[in-house]
Amino acid sequence: MKNLKRYNTFLKVLEQADILKSKGSGDLKPPVNLKEKFDLSLTENSTDTDTDTIIESIFKHSVNTQNPRFLNQLIGGTREEAWIGELITAILNTSMATYEIAPLATLLEKEIICTINKEVGFPQFEGLIVPGGSYANMLGINCARYHHDPNSKKTGMYEKKKQIVFISEDAHYSSYKSLALLGLGTEYLRRIKTLSNKKMCLDDLKSQIKLVKEEGYQPICVVSTSGTTIWGAFDPIADTNAICREEGLWHHVDAAWGGLGLFSEKKDQLFAGIEKVDSITLDFHKLMASTLTKGIFLTSRPEVLKAANRGGGNRYIFHEERDIDIGTYSLQCGRKVDSISIWLQWKLNGTVHYRNKITELYQLQNWIVDELSHRPGYRLMATPSYMNICFQLLPDDNRDISEFNILARKKVIERGNFMVNYASDNEANYFFRLVLNHWDVNQAIIEELFEELDRVFELI
Ligand code: ABU
């Protein structure tokens, strides 16, 4: 490619990005016959199709998560500063293994971890940027396992006392996968009941700890959730921590979704006791508007993180075991320099942009809750503590409410004006799960959503 063409190609991508940002209703229709519309084939020789045409086609046939009507997932709309950081990361294409090959990115990662810790308040800390919340939760459980039995790193889990991890019944499924991967066994993940406010029931936690001890197992870890995937509920950290301290358990907090709450005026209510826990998961690519995947693992026990994860590579990459070479205590060898994108967004906007956004989102959440409490034909499932608003449409005949809501959601998706997900509780009641994840979502868009739901109501 000649230079001019190359710059024009980058400009083409930016042009498409601009188009994504400016698209309105009707832009979220699911694909039909995608395999026929897009030439997927990889061939021996290069294609004759013009690069710009291919770029346009990729954008056209992908879900536009930049549209503020994409309210389906805990990921989506991103800040443009994060795109720029991502582009720089791709072009630099170095790895976070050693300071030698990523000096600036290493210092930026340390600055990010240190600045987050100012909100958390651990007296001593260490952390890593990791590929997502599931990965960070796994690191937390790995630290718990190591903390209880350092020998497990060397000898595995053979002929050991069974180790038990506790999470709430509404917690994310990643802990289940972690137990499988770490050789602890999914059977040894104990799900603790939640109360009507969707928080972990601490009486049940205490009973389950007692029970597993009586069964001869070794409880090792409680994972509290700050912002559950469906309800956005925050487990009580301080009281859970008191139980963990009494029982000698590692306390991990999965704040992948709820992490922006650390920057909120409601922090004391949502996160009381956070400075006492052992480790935390945060995801910048969720409510903090970074690009995927920017998980953070932060711990108040740096020595455990390092000892649990260190090993190997001394003959060719880690010539010494230096803390400045972050790769020595990361499980990845090649690791993107993701610090650049997070840091650039943060640097250009200041911490205040997180504080302002969470305040704005809470105002919008309040308005929606108020609206849902009065709007005929709608039922709010629970008072939200965060940006998940779960509600049902109520049929005006005797149709099954769950089936009606599944059908309504299917219709919303087919029409392509909005993407909003659905979920169920433990009694298999299905409902809409609206998440305010996109930073450009506002009252006008939610009013548009309600109009859309009213229309769908008439159609089914
Ligand atoms: N990692 C949890 C994401 C779940 C969601 O997007 O709904």
Side-chain angles (χ1 to χ4, degrees):
M1 257 197 291
K2 295 227 161 43
N3 272 355
L4 186 61
K5 172 73 178 158
R6 189 168 67 208
Y7 292 132
N8 280 346
T9 302
F10 280 116
L11 288 177
K12 182 77 193 172
V13 173
L14 285 181
E15 173 205 287
Q16 292 297 305
D18 253 356
I19 294 172
L20 281 192
K21 284 273 187 194
S22 62
K23 279 199 169 163
S25 287
D27 155 54
L28 291 163
K29 279 202 194 315
V32 181
N33 299 333
L34 189 53
K35 284 186 179 171
E36 285 155 33
K37 288 189 183 149
F38 190 96
D39 178 11
L40 300 167
S41 65
L42 292 171
T43 48
E44 187 66 25
N45 295 319
S46 64
T47 178
D48 293 335
T49 315
D50 168 64
T51 312
D52 284 2
T53 308
I54 296 177
I55 290 170
E56 270 180 30
S57 192
I58 291 173
F59 276 89
K60 183 173 167 209
H61 292 108
S62 297
V63 175
N64 182 3
T65 67
Q66 303 304 321
N67 189 321
R69 291 161 194 81
F70 177 83
L71 302 163
N72 204 64
Q73 303 306 142
L74 308 184
I75 54 97
T78 43
R79 297 281 306 199
E80 287 170 17
E81 303 85 349
W83 298 352
I84 296 166
E86 199 70 51
L87 182 61
I88 298 170
T89 301
I91 294 167
L92 291 178
N93 198 38
T94 186
S95 170
M96 287 304 291
T98 61
Y99 182 81
E100 184 174 74
I101 54 167
L104 182 64
T106 297
L107 297 181
L108 296 182
E109 178 156 334
K110 290 200 171 278
E111 178 65 17
I112 291 164
I113 297 295
C114 178
T115 315
I116 293 170
N117 190 60
K118 285 183 188 148
E119 306 298 324
V120 172
F122 288 154
Q124 51 165 2
F125 61 92
E126 191 51 89
L128 287 167
I129 299 176
V130 296
S134 294
Y135 192 103
N137 288 339
M138 184 192 68
L139 279 185
I141 297 172
N142 191 35
C143 284
R145 181 179 70 152
Y146 182 86
H147 175 66
H148 281 87
D149 181 4
N151 210 29
S152 63
K153 181 175 170 185
K154 189 171 163 195
T155 59
M157 299 310 294
Y158 304 102
E159 294 160 24
K160 297 257 194 249
K161 236 180 176 184
K162 307 279 194 300
Q163 297 189 340
I164 309 287
V165 176
F166 304 90
I167 60 170
S168 97
E169 59 189 352
D170 287 331
H172 191 253
Y173 62 83
S174 51
S175 293
Y176 174 90
K177 296 201 174 192
S178 298
L179 264 75
L181 196 65
L182 294 168
L184 298 175
T186 57
E187 206 174 294
Y188 303 100
L189 180 71
R190 294 296 153 93
R191 294 255 178 198
I192 307 299
K193 281 185 213 144
T194 52
L195 300 164
S196 57
N197 60 10
K198 317 297 179 193
K199 293 173 191 281
M200 186 188 277
C201 168
L202 298 190
D203 286 339
D204 191 37
L205 174 64
K206 283 188 233 166
S207 315
Q208 294 258 8
I209 294 173
K210 185 165 175 282
L211 186 69
V212 300
K213 287 203 295 199
E214 284 163 7
E215 287 169 340
Y217 300 146
Q218 185 185 23
I220 61 163
C221 177
V222 178
V223 178
S224 299
T225 309
S226 294
T228 56
T229 315
I230 295 178
W231 301 104
F234 284 68
D235 290 336
I237 294 174
D239 290 346
T240 308
N241 191 261
I243 297 170
C244 289
R245 292 297 159 254
E246 201 176 312
E247 298 285 348
L249 308 183
W250 186 276
H251 190 190
H252 179 74
V253 174
D254 175 2
W257 173 228
L260 189 62
L262 285 167
F263 299 86
S264 156
E265 285 161 6
K266 292 178 193 274
K267 175 181 158 182
D268 291 346
Q269 185 185 323
L270 303 173
F271 283 100
I274 191 72
E275 70 288 352
K276 296 185 188 146
V277 310
D278 298 297
S279 53
I280 306 175
T281 291
L282 288 172
D283 273 350
F284 272 80
H285 59 268
K286 289 200 168 83
L287 206 41
M288 299 171 88
S290 290
T291 44
L292 279 157
T293 41
K294 307 277 182 287
I296 302 278
F297 177 76
L298 180 71
T299 179
S300 55
R301 294 176 180 261
E303 74 294 349
V304 178
L305 171 70
K306 288 171 188 167
N309 294 338
R310 270 186 167 144
N314 293 357
R315 284 170 55 204
Y316 78 104
I317 181 166
F318 307 123
H319 301 290
E320 295 161 66
E321 214 170 72
R322 306 184 312 168
D323 283 359
I324 197 69
D325 295 330
I326 299 179
T328 56
Y329 53 91
S330 153
L331 291 179
Q332 295 164 270
C333 178
R335 187 163 67 100
K336 276 175 75 188
V337 286
D338 279 325
S339 55
I340 293 173
S341 173
I342 299 175
W343 181 88
L344 191 64
Q345 179 186 332
W346 202 331
K347 180 75 177 172
L348 294 177
N349 299 293
T351 308
V352 70
H353 88 304
Y354 296 126
R355 300 198 199 289
N356 289 346
K357 185 46 67 177
I358 188 72
T359 303
E360 273 174 38
L361 287 170
Y362 266 117
Q363 282 162 359
L364 182 60
Q365 183 244 50
N366 277 332
W367 176 82
I368 297 171
V369 169
D370 191 49
E371 184 65 21
L372 280 170
S373 317
H374 298 106
R375 205 172 175 94
Y378 290 75
R379 172 163 68 198
L380 185 66
M381 301 298 290
T383 307
S385 354
Y386 200 51
M387 301 309 148
N388 312 44
I389 302 153
C390 297
F391 65 90
Q392 281 177 324
L393 301 186
L394 302 174
D396 44 18
D397 49 29
N398 58 3
R399 275 183 284 178
D400 179 85
I401 298 179
S402 279
E403 283 171 19
F404 186 77
N405 278 270
I406 292 171
L407 190 63
R409 194 269 173 173
K410 191 163 170 259
K411 199 78 188 162
V412 170
I413 298 297
E414 274 167 21
R415 285 167 56 85
N417 294 320
F418 280 90
M419 279 187 87
V420 186
N421 221 327
Y422 71 114
S424 69
D425 61 14
N426 290 324
E427 276 81 49
N429 291 308
Y430 284 82
F431 44 83
F432 280 85
R433 182 202 67 166
L434 167 64
V435 281
L436 305 178
N437 174 67
H438 201 299
W439 278 26
D440 296 336
V441 67
N442 56 33
Q443 189 176 320
I445 286 170
I446 301 298
E447 278 169 359
E448 219 183 277
L449 171 68
F450 284 137
E451 282 162 26
E452 174 71 359
L453 291 171
D454 289 346
R455 237 171 275 133
V456 162
F457 207 103
E458 300 300 321
L459 292 172
I460 57 174

